[in-house]
Amino acid sequence: MKKLVLGVAFAALMSSSAMAAKVGVSMAKFDDNFLTVLRNGMIEQAKGMSGVELQVEDAQNDVAKQLDQIKNFAASGVDAIIVNPVDTSATQAMSDAAAAAKIPLVYVNREPVNVDKLPDNQAFVASNEADSGTLETKEVCRLFKEAGKKEANVYVIMGELSNQAAVQRTKDIEEVIATPDCSFIKIIDKQTSNWNRDEAQNLMTNWLSTGKPFDGVIANNDESAIGAIQAMKAANIDMKSVVVGGVDATQDALAAMQAGDLDATVFQDAAGQGAGALDAALKLSKGEKVEHKVYVPFQLVTPANIDKFLKKN
């Protein structure tokens, strides 16, 4: 299937909708910094459109609850459905429910397992995860080289293992480390924090208790990177002695970077993805054609270019 790549100024390219439309939105969970920005991006986009009404629901990280929300949206006669999946391996049933009701469905941010088999009135809007962990790890590798490292040991903190983004970002890390340029890096352990700051802090605390020497932490998301940083600072580790990378460029992550604690992150345009998902849903509800995969590019964020991203996510 063709992939459409859109720039950072995605929202500026959106088409307005003159039709009245009700869109049901099921978010994996409200209690997540990045997903909150994404959700707000949809809400702000809808405010600028005449007659567009959003019904936004919290699935509370419960697959069964999310499927029920989709079925309820269909039963209530919404014009389109947007889903940020709890479990990307459980999306076939969601697609089937929407298809049976003949209601367009758009997945946002998290890639559904059936992405290559979506019917014509379904789509996926996100950023290409093959780029996220790649950009992050290449920058970590560059920083190690800049510091004169001939060998570097790293811990990898993964997201939810049921989530395609976590799987892909971890694969990205491993593929970069497998290249000749970065083969001096060794992963000494990798475990999941389920995208969660507190879990990452506990995980890092446990790793520190082993006393193994390490040079950096490569995390699947910023919340996990921040949790690791908190554990290291609590253990009085000099943050200048380690390299830490994350993904998302959340406001908390950018603050950590300004403080000298986070070395690299990757901007994922949460608001752009949310607005893009709404735009795709409205187009599909009018019978317009939308590419099955709509990508909003990732961008590397470092202390050198952080000013460009301070007012975004």
Side-chain angles (χ1 to χ4, degrees):
M1 294 179 183
K2 293 171 68 178
K3 300 175 183 177
L4 180 63
V5 179
L6 302 181
V8 179
F10 187 92
L13 301 178
M14 303 289 177
S15 63
S16 296
S17 175
M19 63 174 284
K22 184 173 183 178
V23 180
V25 181
S26 175
M27 297 296 299
K29 57 182 178 179
F30 281 6
D31 186 20
D32 180 282
N33 287 349
F34 179 82
L35 295 182
T36 296
V37 178
L38 190 154
R39 183 174 80 249
N40 289 339
M42 276 187 276
I43 293 170
E44 289 303 311
Q45 181 73 6
K47 285 180 181 178
M49 294 178 163
S50 176
V52 176
E53 178 186 349
L54 296 189
Q55 181 181 340
V56 186
E57 302 285 349
D58 182 1
Q60 300 176 332
N61 233 25
D62 185 323
V63 175
K65 186 180 184 72
Q66 185 161 63
L67 182 56
D68 283 342
Q69 288 173 349
I70 292 166
K71 290 178 178 178
N72 290 338
F73 287 149
S76 69
V78 297
D79 297 289
I81 298 170
I82 296 172
V83 179
N84 169 242
V86 169
D87 183 345
T88 54
S89 66
T91 52
Q92 185 63 58
M94 300 175 193
S95 284
D96 291 345
K102 298 182 179 179
I103 295 174
L105 182 147
V106 175
Y107 293 102
V108 62
N109 181 251
R110 298 177 175 182
E111 183 176 302
V113 68
N114 56 320
V115 68
D116 291 322
K117 298 179 181 178
L118 295 176
D120 289 342
N121 68 341
Q122 296 186 16
F124 168 55
V125 177
S127 298
N128 189 348
E129 294 297 350
D131 299 329
S132 55
T134 300
L135 289 169
E136 173 193 18
T137 311
K138 282 184 175 180
E139 178 62 9
V140 169
C141 177
R142 187 191 71 79
L143 290 170
F144 281 146
K145 284 184 172 181
E146 188 175 80
K149 297 278 186 182
K150 301 298 182 183
E151 294 181 359
N153 293 325
V154 299
Y155 287 113
V156 172
I157 304 180
M158 301 180 289
E160 292 176 358
L161 300 183
S162 62
N163 191 290
Q164 181 272 343
V167 173
Q168 183 62 53
R169 290 177 190 180
T170 302
K171 181 181 178 184
D172 296 341
I173 294 167
E174 293 169 340
E175 288 181 346
V176 170
I177 290 175
T179 64
D181 280 350
C182 302
S183 59
F184 65 93
I185 301 173
K186 179 184 177 182
I187 297 174
I188 50 178
D189 198 6
K190 59 180 181 180
Q191 293 189 40
T192 180
S193 68
N194 295 305
W195 306 120
N196 185 276
R197 185 184 301 196
D198 290 340
E199 288 188 42
Q201 184 172 0
N202 292 336
L203 176 60
M204 192 71 222
T205 299
N206 291 338
W207 278 332
L208 291 172
S209 71
T210 68
K212 289 182 181 179
F214 70 100
D215 303 282
V217 176
I218 307 176
N220 279 176
N221 70 327
D222 287 338
E223 284 294 290
S224 297
I226 291 168
I229 288 168
Q230 289 174 335
M232 286 185 275
K233 294 180 81 169
N236 295 315
I237 290 175
D238 181 0
M239 294 308 299
K240 293 181 181 178
S241 70
V242 293
V243 174
V244 182
V247 176
D248 288 335
T250 63
Q251 287 299 309
D252 285 353
L254 298 180
M257 183 173 285
Q258 288 179 309
D261 299 331
L262 182 69
D263 299 283
T265 185
V266 181
F267 175 65
Q268 182 175 195
D269 191 348
Q273 287 184 15
L278 178 58
D279 183 65
L282 293 173
K283 285 179 177 176
L284 288 172
S285 73
K286 294 187 289 184
E288 296 179 15
K289 182 176 175 58
V290 172
E291 297 293 345
H292 282 306
K293 296 179 182 179
V294 181
Y295 285 149
V296 182
F298 281 108
Q299 298 177 73
L300 179 67
V301 184
T302 69
N305 69 355
I306 190 173
D307 290 347
K308 291 169 51 181
F309 300 93
L310 289 175
K311 294 182 180 179
K312 293 190 175 180
N313 280 352

